[in-house]
Amino acid sequence: MTVTSPEFVSALAADAEAAGITGLVAAAVISRDGRVLLVRRNPDDYMGGLWEIPSGTVEAGETILDALHRETAEETGLTIDQVDCYIGHFDYRNSRGGTTRQFNFAVTVEKTEPVVLTEHDAHQWALPSELPEVSDAVRNLIAP
């Protein structure tokens, strides 16, 4: 079963639902020259100032992969060319007090520049060994 098959993606969502997860987020790990694209949350946002990989909520009627493509384009202006692999998930407490599951995918984008931010105040291409302030979950996901 491939990472982009409807069966694989449906199973991810079903597992989260069975675990009582209240929110689903799709996230893109975009690499260039050994560096990973990180975006910084606006200071007045929930977890403001924290660096993260581009990600966003799976909306009603949308698959996890639909959200991955849409959110990557919305947050970075970049277009996903290919979903390379599923690299796992982590759960975290969201701003409403529920639990969100973030599904993380390594992707290839059509072009890595320009990065156009709409929801974040900065971006950087960071070496996995020299990450700025990210959550432990993100560090564990991309650091060696």
Side-chain angles (χ1 to χ4, degrees), residues 51-118:
W51 291 87
E52 61 187 2
I53 54 178
S55 59
T57 302
V58 178
E59 303 292 348
E62 193 175 47
T63 70
I64 294 167
L65 290 179
D66 290 341
L68 178 69
H69 285 265
R70 179 183 53 76
E71 287 287 349
T72 300
E74 284 178 6
E75 291 195 356
T76 67
L78 303 177
T79 302
I80 293 175
D81 182 48
Q82 180 176 311
V83 178
D84 300 319
C85 66
Y86 175 64
I87 52 178
H89 70 266
F90 56 80
D91 299 340
Y92 63 91
R93 177 83 52 215
N94 62 40
S95 61
R96 297 168 306 286
T99 302
T100 293
R101 176 159 295 170
Q102 180 169 311
F103 301 99
N104 304 286
F105 297 86
V107 303
T108 302
V109 292
E110 291 176 1
K111 298 182 304 188
T112 56
E113 295 291 339
V115 174
V116 179
L117 301 177
T118 58

Side-chain angles (χ1 to χ4, degrees), residues 115-136:
V115 174
V116 179
L117 301 177
T118 58
E119 301 177 17
H120 298 85
D121 69 353
H123 80 278
Q124 67 171 287
W125 293 94
L127 288 170
S129 59
E130 298 175 8
L131 296 175
E133 185 182 350
V134 296
S135 68
D136 289 343

